[in-house]
Amino acid sequence: MTSMLRTFIAIPLSSDIHALIERLQKNLKELNLDVKWVKPTNAHLTLKFLGDTPAAKIPTIHNVMKNIFAGLGELSLTTTVLGTFPELR
């Protein structure tokens, strides 16, 4: 049986963003919402969800991504909207 991993391609966030998420969560937790909170240090920006992937393919995917992004500088993003997954509604 082939070992499968639930995989995605993501951009890690800075420690400043993790700290901001932690402060936001602290305030939102006071609302007693029925949500599963993600540890701020686990937060990331998902670019592509790959789903169940054979573990044997992970090194190839890693090498392809490494080659695609080689030599690129730091990415800077700005957001003005706070959302949830899945949508709260």
Side-chain angles (χ1 to χ4, degrees):
M1 179 178 212
T2 302
S3 176
M4 301 293 275
L5 299 171
R6 186 175 167 95
T7 60
F8 54 89
I9 297 168
I11 296 173
L13 302 175
S14 70
S15 58
D16 290 343
I17 299 296
H18 287 153
L20 174 61
I21 291 169
E22 187 172 19
R23 289 194 307 272
L24 286 169
Q25 283 185 354
K26 182 180 177 187
N27 290 330
L28 290 171
K29 285 179 182 179
E30 294 175 4
L31 300 175
N32 293 319
L33 301 170
D34 184 23
V35 298
K36 178 185 175 227
W37 298 102
V38 174
K39 288 176 61 173
T41 53
N42 288 342
H44 57 270
L45 177 60
T46 299
L47 300 177
K48 175 70 177 167
F49 179 68
L50 301 175
D52 291 333
T53 305
K57 288 191 175 186
I58 300 299
T60 300
I61 294 169
H62 179 263
N63 287 333
V64 168
M65 296 305 299
K66 189 174 174 181
N67 289 335
I68 289 171
F69 292 104
L72 293 181
E74 188 173 293
L75 179 65
S76 178
L77 300 171
T78 303
T79 184
T80 58
V81 178
L82 179 63
T84 61
F85 177 79
E87 185 68 35
L88 279 179
R89 293 180 223 142

